[in-house]
Amino acid sequence: MTDTATLYIDGAWVPASDGGTRDIRCPADGELVGAVSEATTADVEKPTPAARGASDGGEWVAVPAPERGDFLLRVAAGLRERKAEFALAETLDTGKRLVESEIDIDDIANCFTYFGKLAGLDAGRIVDAANQAVVSRIEYEPVGVCGLIAPWNYPLLQAAWKIAPALAAGNSFILKPSELTPHTAILMMRLLHDLGLPRGIANLVLGAGDVAGAPLSSHPDVDMVSFTGGLETGKKIAAAAAATVKKVALELGGKNPNVIFADADFDAAVDNALNGAFVHSGQVCSAGARIIVEASIAERFVDELVRRANLIRLGGPFDHNAETGPLISAAHRDKVTAYVAKGVAEGARVRCGGTWGDGELEKGFYYLPTILDRVQRGMSVVVDEAFGPVVTVETFETEDEAVATANDTVYGLAGAVWTQDAGRGQRMSRRLRHGTIWINDYHPYLPQAEWGGFGQSGVGRELGPTGLAEYQEAKHIYQNTEPAVTGWFTEAKDAAIL
C-alpha cells in the first residue's frame, strides 16, 4: 500500500508539503508494507483551521443527534463490510496475527454501534428552580476541535474509542495515529469520506509525535486532546495543554496485578494468567504483568505457568499454528531486553524466556514469553511497565497483604482477583485502586462500560456514557418567563440623596 497523498485535510487527500514519506515495515518479517506521507511542521498547522471552521460553522452539530448516531451505525456497517481489508492492514502494520486483527475490527464496529445508539438518547435535563416562572435546563454541546492521538498496539481500536464519541457529540477532530501503524487510520478516513461526513470534520496527520502530535496539545484552537500511550509522553501532553487550559483525556498504561488465591480454579487461573500476560506479546495496556499468588500454592502455580509458557508458539500474522506474534520494532525489543537484564541484575530469576526468538523468528522482532520470580516490591521489573511479554511473580500470605501488594503502584488501570469465595472477590474489588477489576476472568471489556485508570494510569474515561461526556460541555440555560425589577438597588429619588 503505497500512496504519497495520505494526509487528509479539509476533505481532501494531500501529500506532505516537502514530498516526504515514511516506509512502514511489518514487524513480523521486516517486509515493506507501504510508504505514507510524513507531515512537516507546516503541514500540521493546516488541519486546525479546517477543523475550527467546520466546528464553528455548525454543519455537523446542527445535524440532530439521532441522525449523527445513524451515521455512526453506517460506519459500523462499513467496517463489517470491509473487515478483511481493515484487518489485513492492521495485521501488516502491527505484525499481530490476522485472527486477532479480525477480532479487533469486530470490536471497533461494536464501538461505533454503541455510540451510534447512545448519541440521541440524552437530550439534557430540566432543573427544578423552585420558581414556576423559571425554565432551567442543562444541555450538552460539543467541546469543539478535538486532537486525537492513538498508539501503535491497537491502532484503530484505540482511535475508534475517540472518534466515535467525538462524532456522536458533534465535534470536529484531528487524528494523529502512531507513525508506525498508520494504514487503518487512512482506511478509516476513506470510509468517513465515502459515507459523506462534511468536510473539515475529520482530519488526519501522519508523522512522529514531536512533529505531528505535540502541536495538538498546545494549539489554542484545539479545545481538547485525547491521548493513549506512555506515561512520560502523557505528562508532556498534560503540561502543554495546561497553557491553554484545554480538556485532557489520558490513558497512560498500567502495571496490572493478577491476584490468585489458593482456592481459585487452578487451571482457569493459570490459563488466564497466560492470556493476561502474553496476548499480543504483552503489548497491552491492561496486561496482567504482575502475578501475585498466595504462598501456599505459589510453587505449584509458577511451575505450571512456566511449563505452559514454554509451549506458546510464536509466529507471523498468517501462521495458523502461531499463538502470539512479534514486538512492534527492533527498538522496542531492545527496550524489553534491557528491562529484563536490569531485573536480573537486581536479583530476579528468569524461569523461562528472557531472550529473542531464533530460526525463522530472527526475521522479525520476537521476544520469548518471559517469567521472572524471586522479585521484590521496589524492583524495576515490578515498578516499571515492560509493555512486552514479561510477567513477574510475587507472593502473599493474607488478604490484607494481597491488597497492599496489588495497590503498590503509581498506576491503577486494571487488575484481577481469582477466588471461589464470592465475598472475598467483592471485598477485593472494592479495595483495589484500579479502574477495571475482573473477578475470575482477565481482559474482557464492554463498549458500554467505562475504561480508564486511577493514579498515573490517566485522566478521564473512554467508553460508556462517561466516554461520550468527555467530548461534551454542559451548559446551564436559565430562562425567566416573567422578568421583573429586582428592587435590590433603590432608585435615587430621595431628594436628600440627590
Side-chain angles (χ1 to χ4, degrees), residues 34-86:
V36 299
S37 304
E38 180 88 349
T40 65
T41 302
D43 294 327
V44 175
E45 288 293 322
K46 296 174 183 177
T48 307
R52 180 84 272 160
S55 177
D56 294 347
E59 181 181 357
W60 180 241
V61 72
V63 174
E67 293 183 23
R68 293 200 300 269
D70 289 342
F71 180 85
L72 296 186
L73 296 180
R74 293 199 299 275
V75 174
L79 284 163
R80 294 184 178 105
E81 290 171 2
R82 306 183 189 183
K83 177 178 174 178
E85 180 184 11
F86 275 88

Coordinates of all heavy atoms in Angstrom, one line a residue, residues 34-86:
G34 N 4.3 -0.4 3.0 CA 4.0 0.7 2.1 C 4.7 1.9 2.5 O 5.4 1.9 3.6
A35 N 4.5 3.0 1.8 CA 5.0 4.3 2.1 C 3.9 5.3 2.3 O 2.9 5.3 1.5 CB 6.0 4.8 1.1
V36 N 3.9 6.1 3.3 CA 2.9 7.1 3.5 C 3.5 8.5 3.7 O 4.7 8.6 3.9 CB 2.1 6.7 4.8 CG1 1.4 5.4 4.6 CG2 2.9 6.8 6.0
S37 N 2.7 9.5 3.6 CA 3.2 10.9 3.7 C 3.7 11.1 5.1 O 3.1 10.6 6.1 CB 2.1 11.9 3.4 OG 1.5 11.6 2.1
E38 N 4.7 11.9 5.2 CA 5.3 12.3 6.5 C 5.1 13.8 6.7 O 5.8 14.6 6.0 CB 6.8 11.9 6.6 CG 7.4 12.2 7.9 CD 7.3 11.2 9.0 OE1 6.5 10.2 8.8 OE2 8.0 11.2 10.0
A39 N 4.2 14.2 7.5 CA 3.9 15.6 7.7 C 5.0 16.5 8.2 O 5.8 16.0 9.0 CB 2.7 15.8 8.6
T40 N 5.1 17.7 7.7 CA 6.1 18.7 8.2 C 5.4 19.5 9.2 O 4.2 19.4 9.4 CB 6.6 19.6 7.1 OG1 5.5 20.3 6.6 CG2 7.2 18.8 5.9
T41 N 6.1 20.4 9.9 CA 5.5 21.3 10.9 C 4.5 22.1 10.2 O 3.4 22.4 10.8 CB 6.6 22.2 11.5 OG1 7.6 21.3 12.1 CG2 6.0 23.1 12.5
A42 N 4.7 22.6 9.0 CA 3.8 23.4 8.3 C 2.5 22.6 7.9 O 1.4 23.2 8.0 CB 4.4 24.0 7.0
D43 N 2.7 21.4 7.6 CA 1.5 20.5 7.3 C 0.6 20.4 8.5 O -0.6 20.3 8.4 CB 2.0 19.1 6.8 CG 2.7 19.2 5.5 OD1 2.4 20.0 4.6 OD2 3.6 18.4 5.3
V44 N 1.2 20.2 9.7 CA 0.4 20.0 10.9 C -0.4 21.2 11.2 O -1.4 21.1 11.9 CB 1.4 19.6 12.0 CG1 0.6 19.5 13.3 CG2 2.1 18.3 11.7
E45 N 0.0 22.4 10.8 CA -0.8 23.6 11.0 C -2.1 23.7 10.2 O -3.0 24.3 10.5 CB 0.0 24.8 10.8 CG 1.1 25.1 11.8 CD 0.5 25.5 13.1 OE1 -0.5 26.2 13.2 OE2 1.1 25.0 14.2
K46 N -2.1 22.9 9.1 CA -3.2 23.1 8.1 C -4.6 22.5 8.6 O -5.6 23.1 8.3 CB -2.8 22.4 6.8 CG -1.6 23.1 6.1 CD -1.2 22.3 4.8 CE 0.0 23.0 4.2 NZ 0.5 22.2 3.0
P47 N -4.6 21.4 9.3 CA -5.9 20.9 9.6 C -6.7 21.6 10.7 O -7.9 21.6 10.8 CB -5.7 19.4 10.0 CG -4.2 19.4 10.5 CD -3.6 20.4 9.6
T48 N -5.9 22.4 11.5 CA -6.6 23.1 12.6 C -7.6 24.1 12.1 O -8.7 24.2 12.6 CB -5.5 23.7 13.6 OG1 -4.6 22.7 14.0 CG2 -6.2 24.3 14.8
P49 N -7.2 25.0 11.2 CA -8.2 25.9 10.7 C -9.4 25.2 10.0 O -10.6 25.7 10.1 CB -7.4 26.8 9.7 CG -6.0 26.6 10.0 CD -5.9 25.3 10.6
A50 N -9.1 24.1 9.4 CA -10.2 23.4 8.7 C -11.2 22.8 9.8 O -12.4 22.9 9.7 CB -9.7 22.2 7.9
A51 N -10.6 22.2 10.8 CA -11.4 21.7 11.9 C -12.2 22.8 12.7 O -13.3 22.6 13.1 CB -10.6 20.8 12.9
R52 N -11.4 23.9 12.9 CA -12.1 25.0 13.6 C -13.2 25.6 12.8 O -14.3 25.9 13.3 CB -11.0 26.1 13.8 CG -11.5 27.4 14.5 CD -11.4 27.2 16.0 NE -12.7 26.6 16.5 CZ -12.7 26.0 17.7 NH1 -11.7 25.8 18.5 NH2 -13.9 25.5 18.1
G53 N -13.0 25.8 11.5 CA -14.0 26.3 10.6 C -15.2 25.4 10.6 O -16.4 25.8 10.6
A54 N -15.0 24.0 10.5 CA -16.1 23.1 10.5 C -16.8 23.1 11.8 O -18.1 23.0 11.8 CB -15.5 21.7 10.2
S55 N -16.1 23.2 12.9 CA -16.8 23.2 14.2 C -17.6 24.5 14.4 O -18.8 24.5 14.7 CB -15.7 23.1 15.3 OG -16.3 23.2 16.6
D56 N -17.0 25.7 14.0 CA -17.7 26.9 14.2 C -18.8 27.1 13.2 O -19.8 27.8 13.5 CB -16.7 28.1 14.1 CG -15.7 28.1 15.2 OD1 -15.9 27.4 16.2 OD2 -14.7 28.8 15.1
G57 N -18.7 26.5 12.0 CA -19.7 26.6 11.0 C -21.0 25.9 11.4 O -22.1 26.2 10.9
G58 N -20.8 24.9 12.3 CA -22.0 24.2 12.9 C -22.8 23.3 12.0 O -23.8 22.8 12.4
E59 N -22.2 22.9 10.8 CA -23.0 22.0 10.0 C -23.2 20.6 10.6 O -24.3 20.0 10.6 CB -22.2 21.8 8.6 CG -23.0 20.9 7.6 CD -22.2 20.7 6.3 OE1 -21.2 21.3 6.1 OE2 -22.7 19.9 5.5
W60 N -22.1 20.1 11.3 CA -22.2 18.7 11.8 C -23.0 18.8 13.1 O -23.9 17.9 13.4 CB -20.9 18.2 12.1 CG -20.8 16.8 12.7 CD1 -20.3 16.4 13.8 CD2 -21.4 15.6 12.1 NE1 -20.5 15.1 14.1 CE2 -21.1 14.5 13.0 CE3 -22.1 15.3 10.9 CZ2 -21.6 13.2 12.7 CZ3 -22.5 14.0 10.6 CH2 -22.2 13.0 11.6
V61 N -22.8 19.8 14.0 CA -23.5 19.8 15.3 C -25.0 20.1 15.0 O -25.8 19.8 15.8 CB -22.9 20.8 16.2 CG1 -23.1 22.3 15.8 CG2 -23.4 20.6 17.6
A62 N -25.3 20.8 13.9 CA -26.7 21.1 13.6 C -27.5 19.8 13.2 O -28.7 19.8 13.2 CB -26.8 22.1 12.5
V63 N -26.7 18.8 12.8 CA -27.4 17.5 12.5 C -28.0 17.0 13.8 O -27.3 16.9 14.8 CB -26.4 16.5 11.8 CG1 -27.1 15.2 11.7 CG2 -25.9 17.1 10.5
P64 N -29.3 16.7 13.8 CA -29.8 16.1 15.0 C -29.0 14.9 15.6 O -28.6 14.1 14.8 CB -31.3 15.7 14.6 CG -31.6 16.6 13.5 CD -30.3 16.8 12.7
A65 N -28.9 14.9 16.9 CA -28.1 13.8 17.5 C -28.5 12.4 17.0 O -27.6 11.6 16.8 CB -28.1 13.9 19.0
P66 N -29.8 12.1 16.9 CA -30.1 10.7 16.4 C -29.6 10.5 15.0 O -29.2 9.3 14.7 CB -31.6 10.7 16.5 CG -32.0 11.7 17.5 CD -31.0 12.8 17.3
E67 N -29.5 11.5 14.2 CA -29.0 11.4 12.8 C -27.5 11.2 12.8 O -26.9 10.4 12.0 CB -29.4 12.5 11.9 CG -30.9 12.6 11.7 CD -31.3 13.7 10.8 OE1 -30.5 14.2 10.0 OE2 -32.5 14.1 10.8
R68 N -26.8 11.9 13.7 CA -25.4 11.6 13.9 C -25.2 10.2 14.3 O -24.2 9.5 13.9 CB -24.8 12.6 14.9 CG -24.7 14.1 14.5 CD -23.7 14.9 15.3 NE -24.0 14.9 16.7 CZ -24.7 15.8 17.3 NH1 -25.3 16.7 16.7 NH2 -24.9 15.7 18.6
G69 N -26.1 9.7 15.2 CA -26.0 8.3 15.6 C -26.2 7.4 14.4 O -25.5 6.4 14.3
D70 N -27.1 7.7 13.6 CA -27.3 6.9 12.4 C -26.1 6.8 11.5 O -25.8 5.8 10.9 CB -28.5 7.4 11.6 CG -29.9 7.2 12.2 OD1 -29.9 6.3 13.2 OD2 -30.8 7.9 11.9
F71 N -25.4 8.0 11.4 CA -24.1 8.0 10.6 C -23.1 7.0 11.2 O -22.5 6.2 10.5 CB -23.5 9.4 10.6 CG -22.3 9.5 9.8 CD1 -22.3 9.7 8.5 CD2 -21.0 9.4 10.5 CE1 -21.1 9.8 7.7 CE2 -19.8 9.5 9.8 CZ -19.9 9.6 8.4
L72 N -23.0 7.0 12.6 CA -22.1 6.1 13.2 C -22.5 4.6 13.0 O -21.6 3.7 12.8 CB -22.0 6.3 14.7 CG -21.4 7.7 15.1 CD1 -21.3 7.7 16.7 CD2 -20.1 8.0 14.5
L73 N -23.8 4.3 12.9 CA -24.2 3.0 12.6 C -23.8 2.6 11.2 O -23.5 1.4 10.9 CB -25.7 2.9 12.8 CG -26.2 3.1 14.2 CD1 -27.8 3.0 14.3 CD2 -25.6 2.1 15.2
R74 N -23.8 3.6 10.3 CA -23.4 3.3 8.9 C -21.9 3.0 8.9 O -21.4 2.2 8.1 CB -23.8 4.4 8.0 CG -25.2 4.6 7.8 CD -25.6 5.4 6.5 NE -25.1 6.7 6.5 CZ -25.7 7.8 7.1 NH1 -26.9 7.6 7.7 NH2 -25.2 9.0 7.1
V75 N -21.1 3.7 9.7 CA -19.7 3.5 9.9 C -19.5 2.0 10.3 O -18.6 1.3 9.8 CB -19.0 4.5 10.8 CG1 -17.6 4.1 11.1 CG2 -19.1 5.9 10.3
A76 N -20.2 1.6 11.3 CA -20.1 0.2 11.8 C -20.4 -0.8 10.7 O -19.7 -1.8 10.6 CB -21.1 0.0 13.0
A77 N -21.5 -0.5 9.9 CA -21.8 -1.4 8.8 C -20.7 -1.4 7.8 O -20.3 -2.5 7.3 CB -23.1 -1.0 8.2
G78 N -20.1 -0.3 7.5 CA -19.0 -0.2 6.6 C -17.8 -1.0 7.0 O -17.1 -1.6 6.2
L79 N -17.5 -0.9 8.3 CA -16.4 -1.7 8.9 C -16.6 -3.2 8.7 O -15.7 -3.9 8.4 CB -16.2 -1.3 10.4 CG -15.5 0.0 10.7 CD1 -15.8 0.4 12.1 CD2 -14.0 -0.1 10.4
R80 N -17.8 -3.6 9.0 CA -18.1 -5.0 8.8 C -18.0 -5.5 7.4 O -17.6 -6.6 7.1 CB -19.5 -5.3 9.4 CG -19.6 -5.1 10.9 CD -20.9 -5.5 11.5 NE -20.9 -5.3 13.0 CZ -21.5 -4.3 13.6 NH1 -22.2 -3.4 12.9 NH2 -21.4 -4.2 14.9
E81 N -18.4 -4.6 6.5 CA -18.4 -4.9 5.0 C -16.9 -5.0 4.5 O -16.6 -5.8 3.7 CB -19.1 -3.9 4.2 CG -20.6 -3.9 4.4 CD -21.3 -2.8 3.7 OE1 -20.6 -1.9 3.1 OE2 -22.6 -2.7 3.8
R82 N -16.1 -4.1 5.1 CA -14.7 -4.1 4.7 C -13.7 -4.7 5.7 O -12.5 -4.4 5.8 CB -14.3 -2.6 4.5 CG -15.2 -1.8 3.5 CD -14.7 -0.4 3.3 NE -15.6 0.4 2.6 CZ -15.4 1.7 2.2 NH1 -14.3 2.3 2.5 NH2 -16.4 2.3 1.5
K83 N -14.2 -5.6 6.5 CA -13.5 -6.2 7.6 C -12.2 -6.8 7.1 O -11.1 -6.6 7.7 CB -14.3 -7.3 8.3 CG -13.6 -8.0 9.4 CD -14.6 -9.0 10.0 CE -13.9 -9.9 11.0 NZ -14.9 -10.9 11.7
A84 N -12.2 -7.5 6.0 CA -11.0 -8.2 5.5 C -9.9 -7.2 5.2 O -8.7 -7.4 5.5 CB -11.3 -9.1 4.3
E85 N -10.3 -6.1 4.6 CA -9.3 -5.0 4.2 C -8.7 -4.4 5.4 O -7.5 -4.2 5.5 CB -10.0 -4.0 3.3 CG -9.1 -2.9 2.8 CD -9.9 -1.8 2.0 OE1 -11.1 -1.8 2.0 OE2 -9.2 -0.9 1.4
F86 N -9.6 -4.0 6.3 CA -9.1 -3.4 7.6 C -8.2 -4.3 8.4 O -7.2 -3.9 8.9 CB -10.3 -2.9 8.4 CG -10.8 -1.5 8.0 CD1 -11.8 -1.4 7.0 CD2 -10.4 -0.4 8.6 CE1 -12.3 -0.1 6.7 CE2 -10.9 0.9 8.3 CZ -11.8 1.0 7.3

